[in-house]
Amino acid sequence: MDATKKPLLIPPEFANYAEKHGIFQIYERLLSRLIVEQPTDPLTCMIDILQQEESVPQIVIHGPPGSGKRSMAVMISKHLDCVCLNVNNIISESESKLASKVRTNRYTEVPTHIWVNLIAERIKKTDCLTKGWLLEGFPQTREQALALQVEGIIPSHFILLDCPDTVLIERVMGKRVDPETGDVYHTTFDPPSDPEVVRRLVPDPKCTEAAMVGRLMEYHRHIDGILACYENIYKTVNADQPKADVFSQVLAYIKTNPRSQAPHTPRVVLLGPTGCGKSVQAELLASKYGLINVSCTELIKQSLADGSKIGESIQPYIDRKMMGREFSDKILNLSERTKRDFLVPLQYLHGTFIVGFGYIPEVVFMDIPNDTILERLTLRSIDPVTGERYHLIYNPPRSSEVKDRLQRNKKDQEDEVNDRTAQYQAYIEEIAECYEEIGQHINADQDIHTVFECIESIIVNRIPRKV
């Protein structure tokens, strides 16, 4: 047989290393820069790209007039120590001939290509390359947005500050400007603390009601086209709330990595109390995505039945009714079952156990109220004649004869269920701390298919991790 036609088996260690160190993202960054810049010496260009800081901020803060773009841009740039850019300081600080023409009012409206050239010139300077940049209130049209993208100026985060027009008009009536610094204040919401600054504040001539209505109409005419250019990276933040709340929401988004397009191997851990539906969801996921369903309970039972050394080590825990709760990592050894894609439904798991194998799983906490657990478990029973399972609410028996012979499992007694639920609660906080960065909580008190869709969305389109 031709060796080149054999299946290509990639050891899991390779995939783990690639995910951990972002190899796909490195290739993506290199290729995108090469395609955009098209250097004459690609190798030297790639070396320069790899030597540059990868995670410097590249942000656009946008929104209607009066939404607080300037204040928020200044606050965020100070917090991240990046360069704050806007159309005014780009023109005033540039020494190019294009900027000189703009300053001398040669254009009634500055052409798009001049704006793009000025911005490209500015962000290629050393401070922007090393610290990153934040662009405030630009692009103002879809044409400008597309021109920036053609030039290779693509932000990693686009924040849109949204606010009702009535609130914006009310805001601008109290807007004041410091003619010396250009800083913007508000007589009610953001007054300056320095008396000297208060004395020199002047009204903004653009802040009459008629002028504001015209500016808002202009903004609404273009914003949908702009957002269409950044549909995968923009985040809308409600600007009609205290400045501190807006700042915290904007900062939280900026500190979140964008969704990765890298191919990944699904590795899922389902955590939840008894009766939350872990086993059902595990079977559904394994069936649809071809994952290996590794049940800790089944592994324990198999070890006991085989009479192996691991089974002998587990037996004392079984005798003391501690099954699945206090096994050491060495006893509960999943390594042979996790050499491929895996899915582990279980209640109790040491936080560093799976991560210790080099795997970074998607951890899903299936939250459910205790009342629902009792309703699900204490009302279920089995027909000893046919083996069919029934539930007095969701799947009641069709005849009184069947109902009379139904039997309940001892594990489904209310005291037993409450005991198992209490044991879960005793461990889950510690486990949640271990998986704080990678764990996602879902509401398991829903129908089976809704819960499945929630888990599926986490696996297929993974939640971005915080920086």
Side-chain angles (χ1 to χ4, degrees), residues 218-447:
E218 180 75 10
Y219 166 80
H220 288 301
R221 185 160 57 248
H222 293 290
I223 189 59
D224 289 340
I226 295 171
L227 294 181
C229 298
Y230 301 102
E231 59 182 351
N232 294 324
I233 61 170
Y234 87 84
K235 167 80 171 178
T236 301
V237 176
N238 178 18
D240 187 16
Q241 54 183 330
K243 186 187 294 185
D245 294 340
V246 178
F247 174 77
S248 64
Q249 292 178 34
V250 171
L251 188 63
Y253 174 63
I254 291 172
K255 288 192 172 183
T256 301
N257 284 323
R259 293 186 185 274
S260 172
Q261 302 300 319
H264 72 282
T265 301
R267 302 184 182 99
V268 190
V269 173
L270 300 181
L271 295 172
T274 181
C276 70
K278 298 182 297 295
S279 297
V280 173
Q281 297 301 325
E283 291 175 3
L284 291 173
L285 290 169
S287 174
K288 181 169 182 178
Y289 293 101
L291 307 180
I292 297 175
N293 186 352
V294 183
S295 171
C296 288
T297 302
E298 295 302 321
L299 286 178
I300 293 168
K301 290 179 180 178
Q302 182 180 345
S303 298
L304 291 171
D306 293 343
S308 62
K309 291 183 179 180
I310 294 179
E312 293 175 2
S313 302
I314 291 174
Q315 191 62 51
Y317 294 91
I318 304 300
D319 296 339
R320 287 180 292 179
K321 296 183 179 181
M322 296 166 61
M323 181 174 177
R325 294 197 292 275
E326 297 185 3
F327 296 129
S328 70
D329 294 344
K330 293 181 180 178
I331 294 176
L332 188 58
N333 191 343
L334 301 178
S335 59
E336 292 303 316
R337 295 292 293 149
T338 55
K339 293 284 181 70
R340 293 172 52 206
D341 308 359
F342 69 87
L343 184 144
V344 187
L346 73 172
Q347 290 184 11
Y348 316 109
L349 182 71
H350 287 194
T352 58
F353 179 52
I354 288 181
V355 177
F357 288 137
Y359 299 108
I360 306 297
E362 300 290 339
V363 179
V364 181
F365 294 92
M366 300 177 65
D367 301 331
I368 188 170
N370 291 345
D371 293 343
T372 304
I373 294 174
L374 289 172
E375 181 183 278
R376 285 185 178 184
L377 300 185
T378 60
L379 298 181
R380 67 183 182 180
S381 53
I382 189 170
D383 184 346
V385 176
T386 64
E388 289 202 31
R389 298 178 181 273
Y390 294 93
H391 192 281
L392 294 183
I393 295 178
Y394 306 119
N395 183 29
R398 296 178 178 84
S399 67
S400 58
E401 181 184 355
V402 174
K403 183 177 180 181
D404 292 339
R405 67 173 184 245
L406 292 180
Q407 295 179 358
R408 291 171 59 191
N409 193 313
K410 184 181 177 181
K411 294 193 305 181
D412 293 340
Q413 299 294 332
E414 184 171 341
D415 292 342
E416 289 283 336
V417 174
N418 285 331
D419 182 53
R420 299 205 304 274
T421 303
Q423 290 162 355
Y424 170 80
Q425 296 298 338
Y427 285 86
I428 193 59
E429 289 187 8
E430 180 182 351
I431 296 173
E433 289 180 3
C434 296
Y435 292 129
E436 183 178 1
E437 292 297 323
I438 58 177
Q440 301 295 327
H441 290 260
I442 66 166
N443 177 18
D445 188 13
Q446 307 177 83
D447 68 88

Side-chain angles (χ1 to χ4, degrees), residues 180-201:
E180 292 189 10
T181 64
D183 292 336
V184 179
Y185 299 93
H186 195 281
T187 54
T188 304
F189 305 116
D190 186 26
S193 56
D194 187 350
E196 181 62 30
V197 176
V198 174
R199 281 193 292 271
R200 64 174 184 249
L201 291 181

Side-chain angles (χ1 to χ4, degrees), residues 66-79:
S67 60
K69 299 187 297 294
R70 178 67 53 84
S71 300
M72 200 53 52
V74 171
M75 292 172 66
I76 292 295
S77 62
K78 285 182 178 178
H79 184 86

Side-chain angles (χ1 to χ4, degrees), residues 26-80:
I26 292 175
Y27 274 107
E28 187 178 39
R29 187 162 62 102
L30 286 172
L31 288 174
S32 61
R33 289 282 297 274
L34 288 175
I35 291 171
V36 170
E37 297 182 8
Q38 299 181 5
T40 55
D41 187 355
L43 290 178
T44 302
C45 179
M46 284 192 289
I47 293 173
D48 292 339
I49 294 170
L50 291 172
Q51 289 176 341
Q52 294 174 4
E53 288 288 339
E54 180 183 356
S55 57
V56 295
Q58 296 178 337
I59 306 163
V60 170
I61 291 186
H62 212 290
S67 60
K69 299 187 297 294
R70 178 67 53 84
S71 300
M72 200 53 52
V74 171
M75 292 172 66
I76 292 295
S77 62
K78 285 182 178 178
H79 184 86
L80 300 178

Side-chain angles (χ1 to χ4, degrees), residues 96-116:
S96 67
K97 294 181 179 180
L98 288 176
S100 177
K101 291 179 180 180
V102 175
R103 286 195 294 267
T104 55
N105 297 321
R106 287 205 179 183
Y107 303 102
T108 55
E109 182 177 340
V110 180
T112 295
H113 73 277
I114 291 182
W115 279 128
V116 172

